[in-house]
Amino acid sequence: MKNTGATYISPKNFDEYLAMQPEELRAMLVPLRSIILSLAPDAVESISYQVPCFKYHYMLVGLGITKDHCSLYTMSPSLVKKMKTELKGVRVSGATLHFSVGAALPVSLIKTIVKARMRENEQKAHAKK
């Protein structure tokens, strides 16, 4: 990457991350955040690898924006493989779901993913006790 002399300021929290994004993309992430926190009210928001993430025992899911699309990081390749049928028509790269402005992921799909990730994390936490 060419050094332009510009300084990148890493966001300290979700709100700072949102403030750094274009309005149309910001509008895509706010509802996602609300859905995630409604299902996992004890989840802790953090910034990991410069993107907003939610931790519930372990990393639950993350959200991100590039110049072309938004992403939901499921943090679980095995879950994405199990949900192959439900994800038909969704752009998937590894454990990440990509969607464009005006083409948000269905709320039911987001809820299914977050609930499944919560179960995975609870099982992992229980197994470590």
Side-chain angles (χ1 to χ4, degrees):
M1 178 158 56
K2 184 178 175 183
N3 184 354
T4 61
T7 303
Y8 176 78
I9 299 171
S10 182
K12 292 179 184 74
N13 57 47
F14 197 103
D15 291 324
E16 281 187 16
Y17 182 86
L18 281 177
M20 297 167 70
Q21 309 307 322
E23 179 61 38
E24 66 275 5
L25 296 175
R26 226 180 305 166
M28 299 292 289
L29 294 189
V30 171
L32 271 173
R33 179 190 200 184
S34 295
I35 293 166
I36 294 164
L37 291 175
S38 73
L39 296 168
D42 295 331
V44 175
E45 293 179 312
S46 65
I47 299 293
S48 181
Y49 295 97
Q50 299 179 349
V51 297
C53 293
F54 300 84
K55 183 177 180 180
Y56 176 76
H57 296 288
Y58 304 96
M59 286 299 183
L60 182 65
V61 293
L63 303 174
I65 293 176
T66 69
K67 67 178 188 163
D68 300 324
H69 58 266
C70 298
S71 299
L72 172 65
Y73 304 103
T74 68
M75 315 249 180
S76 178
S78 62
L79 176 63
V80 171
K81 286 178 185 173
K82 286 181 210 172
M83 294 185 66
K84 192 174 185 175
T85 302
E86 294 95 325
L87 295 174
K88 197 170 204 131
V90 176
R91 288 187 322 184
V92 178
S93 175
T96 304
L97 312 183
H98 302 290
F99 54 101
S100 303
V101 174
L105 296 171
V107 172
S108 60
L109 179 62
I110 297 163
K111 287 182 176 183
T112 299
I113 290 167
V114 172
K115 288 177 184 177
R117 288 292 297 128
M118 290 175 71
R119 282 190 302 277
E120 286 180 353
N121 286 358
E122 288 166 354
Q123 289 169 353
K124 185 177 175 182
H126 183 69
K128 286 199 173 196
K129 287 185 178 179

